[in-house]
Amino acid sequence: MKQILSAILVLSAASFAGVVYSQDSKTGNTTDSKIRNIDGVAAVVNTGFVTRKEIDDRIIALQKQGAKLPDAASLRTLVLERLIIEKIQLQNAEQEGIVVSKKELEKIIGDIAEKNKLTYAEFKAKIIATGMTFERYKETLRDDIVLSRYRERAVEAKIKISDAEVDNFIADRMRAMAGGGEQRSAPPAKGEPEEIDVAQIFIPVDTGAGASAQAEAKKQAEALLRDAKGDVDFLQLGAAAAKTNPKIKFQDLGYRSPDRLPQLFYEAIRNTGGGQVANAVVKSPAGYHVLKVLDRRALSAAPAAQQVASQDSAPTTPQNIPITQTMARHILLKKRPGLTDQDAERRLQGYRDQVRAKTADFGELAKKYSEDGSAPNGGNLGWMGPGDLVPEFEQAMNRLQIGEVSNPVKSEFGWHLIQVLERREAQLTVEKQRDFARAAIRERKFEQAYQDWIRELRDTATVKILNSDDAANAAPR
């Protein structure tokens, strides 16, 4: 669905360091004292390991990118956990036979160089100039490709989309376009049986975790609670938190009668109205929960209400939907080592000033500087409809008048400068609606499926943290 080309696959993973993994010949148990002193091993992951140098290198790379980072202890914990997850994935991918041949890797590097308008030798020189050896770059790129293919294979298989889900998505979209807005049930009368739709963001705490780990999880939960009280999408807030900490879980529990909710949850949201967040974080034996009541409805009236809403708000037969399409062009500066957010924003602001002053043409600047497949066409992306582009890009584009140039816009692919060329009204056919609905539902489900998969991998792996200073107060498994 997203038309913008993906950024260069370059992880900031650390250099490899050798280690001897020793076992007691009599007991078969790991000799922790020996491992601790060999090359700074931070964690043993199944039959592999994560070194302290890997952690250090990853942190340095993040700092070079100019990203906003947490305090040193929290950052080290998060980086170690991310490296552990990557190590588990690479081990499993190898077992499943997912490999990238030397020939294939060389072709991919050649393609990356070509897209950056560089020869292979020039691209190699640029990599070395960043302080990374070219061999290490190739190892990192190979790992990244393997991880991507493994994740896609594993997670996509978990996503199931029914025709009913597609129908409901289209019906909701049509109601919204007709001005119906978000459908909420009428609240139950006092004492009337009800169902409550509750969503949660869950910050787990390992059994036996120390006081500081408990305090850190509670602090994070309370920060999320404050954010949730603002004008934000609750589940998107959970998705963003889970990207920072893969252990975090977020989910819509769906409509449940009070007796089907955990008692702790029901007590926390007993007097909370639909669309409101619980007043306080809920502590359970498993961790901390941030709760939001999405809706409350009368139990006996729920099916009838749904039927009436369907009859009154949704058309009985599929039909084309009028949409606005936009033709825009952009200049993209991709995320890559050595290019900070500040540098990218400054460069694009300079291009914007030139276009505004009429000292340069946007299309010519795009041909010369854009790091996207659309560059030869002056950055022109063609006609785009709702949902065809990543949200940050689309929102910025929709705010522009014809001919207007945006401020620099950041997305998952890098930094963009956008100019709108033309707009037109078009029809979204029934077939296109269903394609769009499936893609939107898949994207929505992917994040949750991915997080569930990550937790499953982590829970079934044998992981032992060897140095407390590398993992803050994370308890060894």
Side-chain angles (χ1 to χ4, degrees):
M1 180 178 67
K2 299 173 183 175
Q3 301 295 319
I4 301 173
L5 293 178
S6 177
I8 299 174
L9 296 172
V10 180
L11 284 178
S12 302
S15 299
F16 185 92
V19 65
V20 177
Y21 188 80
S22 175
Q23 286 191 332
D24 189 304
S25 59
K26 295 182 179 179
T27 64
N29 295 326
T30 302
T31 309
D32 288 350
S33 60
K34 292 182 180 179
I35 297 177
R36 288 177 195 271
N37 296 321
I38 300 177
D39 209 19
V41 175
V44 176
V45 184
N46 292 325
T47 58
F49 50 86
V50 174
T51 69
R52 298 181 68 176
K53 188 177 188 310
E54 286 180 286
I55 300 172
D56 293 339
D57 287 350
R58 182 68 62 91
I59 290 173
I60 290 170
L62 290 171
Q63 291 170 338
K64 285 182 178 179
Q65 292 172 9
K68 185 178 179 181
L69 302 174
D71 62 87
S74 298
L75 177 60
R76 198 165 188 84
T77 301
L78 292 172
V79 168
L80 174 58
E81 184 61 30
R82 169 48 52 193
L83 289 169
I84 288 171
I85 293 297
E86 289 177 6
K87 194 73 66 176
I88 296 169
Q89 291 175 326
L90 287 169
Q91 291 168 348
N92 290 0
E94 183 180 6
Q95 292 175 1
E96 293 191 16
I98 300 176
V99 296
V100 177
S101 68
K102 183 177 179 180
K103 182 178 180 180
E104 183 181 9
L105 183 63
E106 290 296 327
K107 184 180 184 307
I108 291 171
I109 294 173
D111 290 342
I112 294 173
E114 183 179 351
K115 287 177 182 177
N116 282 275
K117 302 178 177 65
L118 298 170
T119 66
Y120 188 98
E122 290 170 338
F123 182 71
K124 179 178 179 179
K126 278 190 171 290
I127 292 297
I128 295 173
T130 67
M132 178 186 288
T133 68
F134 197 59
E135 285 305 311
R136 180 56 191 154
Y137 169 77
K138 290 198 288 187
E139 291 172 10
T140 303
L141 181 58
R142 179 187 286 108
D143 286 349
D144 194 18
I145 296 167
V146 169
L147 285 172
S148 178
R149 291 176 180 176
Y150 177 52
R151 290 166 184 160
E152 183 177 353
R153 177 192 294 185
V155 178
E156 284 290 341
K158 296 177 180 291
I159 299 175
K160 307 297 181 185
I161 302 172
S162 68
D163 289 339
E165 286 179 288
V166 173
D167 293 338
N168 290 337
F169 182 95
I170 294 173
D172 288 344
R173 184 178 174 87
M174 293 180 70
R175 277 196 295 266
M177 294 181 69
E182 188 177 11
Q183 298 295 313
R184 285 293 179 196
S185 308
K190 187 175 181 179
E192 185 179 13
E194 68 172 340
E195 287 183 318
I196 310 170
D197 185 3
V198 180
Q200 71 156 333
I201 302 174
F202 171 49
I203 298 88
V205 180
D206 293 335
T207 303
S212 59
Q214 292 276 355
E216 179 61 30
K218 183 179 180 182
K219 179 181 177 182
Q220 189 172 14
E222 289 174 341
L224 287 168
L225 177 62
R226 288 193 297 272
D227 292 342
K229 291 179 179 179
D231 185 20
V232 298
D233 183 289
F234 188 78
L235 292 177
Q236 286 183 4
L237 177 65
K243 286 183 179 179
T244 303
N245 180 359
K247 288 188 175 182
I248 290 179
K249 183 177 183 180
F250 61 97
Q251 63 182 145
D252 179 354
L253 301 178
Y255 283 99
R256 299 189 186 190
S257 56
D259 62 312
R260 292 181 57 231
L261 283 170
Q263 187 64 27
L264 283 170
F265 286 16
Y266 182 63
E267 292 299 329
I269 53 89
R270 181 191 293 271
N271 299 315
T272 304
Q276 296 180 347
V277 181
N279 290 328
V281 170
V282 175
K283 173 69 171 70
S284 76
Y288 294 88
H289 309 258
V290 180
L291 305 177
K292 181 173 184 177
V293 176
L294 301 180
D295 194 19
R296 303 181 87 114
R297 69 185 184 188
L299 180 61
S300 58
Q306 287 178 327
Q307 186 176 10
V308 170
S310 175
Q311 292 173 348
D312 292 346
S313 304
T316 55
T317 57
Q319 56 185 277
N320 293 350
I321 295 178
I323 61 168
T324 299
Q325 291 182 322
T326 302
M327 179 180 287
R329 55 187 178 182
H330 78 142
I331 299 171
L332 170 66
L333 299 182
K334 292 180 178 179
K335 291 180 181 178
R336 62 177 182 274
L339 179 67
T340 66
D341 286 347
Q342 293 85 347
D343 290 339
E345 193 170 9
R346 185 165 52 250
R347 282 179 56 186
L348 291 179
Q349 192 67 55
Y351 301 153
R352 180 175 183 265
D353 292 343
Q354 292 179 51
V355 174
R356 281 189 160 187
K358 301 187 184 302
T359 59
D361 177 74
F362 192 102
E364 292 304 315
L365 290 174
K367 288 179 181 179
K368 188 173 181 180
Y369 299 113
S370 184
E371 300 168 358
D372 179 58
S374 65
N377 297 322
N380 196 320
L381 297 169
W383 288 105
M384 294 292 167
D388 286 341
L389 301 163
V390 290
E392 301 89 347
F393 189 106
E394 184 171 330
Q395 290 165 14
M397 180 183 72
N398 289 342
R399 289 194 292 265
L400 297 173
Q401 300 296 320
I402 293 176
E404 188 178 0
V405 180
S406 71
N407 288 316
V409 177
K410 186 179 182 182
S411 79
E412 63 189 89
F413 299 107
W415 282 87
H416 313 260
L417 196 65
I418 308 166
Q419 184 181 44
V420 169
L421 299 174
E422 194 176 347
R423 285 196 172 96
R424 71 183 183 188
E425 297 303 311
Q427 294 287 324
L428 187 63
T429 66
V430 174
E431 181 181 355
K432 288 291 184 182
Q433 288 176 53
R434 297 191 74 81
D435 291 342
F436 173 83
R438 286 189 180 277
I441 295 169
R442 174 171 279 101
E443 185 171 344
R444 188 174 63 196
K445 285 187 170 186
F446 184 90
E447 185 62 35
Q448 183 63 58
Y450 176 73
Q451 297 301 332
D452 290 343
W453 176 65
I454 288 295
R455 280 187 289 273
E456 181 182 335
L457 288 179
R458 184 66 166 84
D459 291 343
T460 55
T462 301
V463 178
K464 185 171 182 59
I465 308 298
L466 299 180
N467 296 304
S468 60
D469 61 320
D470 288 315
N473 293 296
R477 294 185 64 249

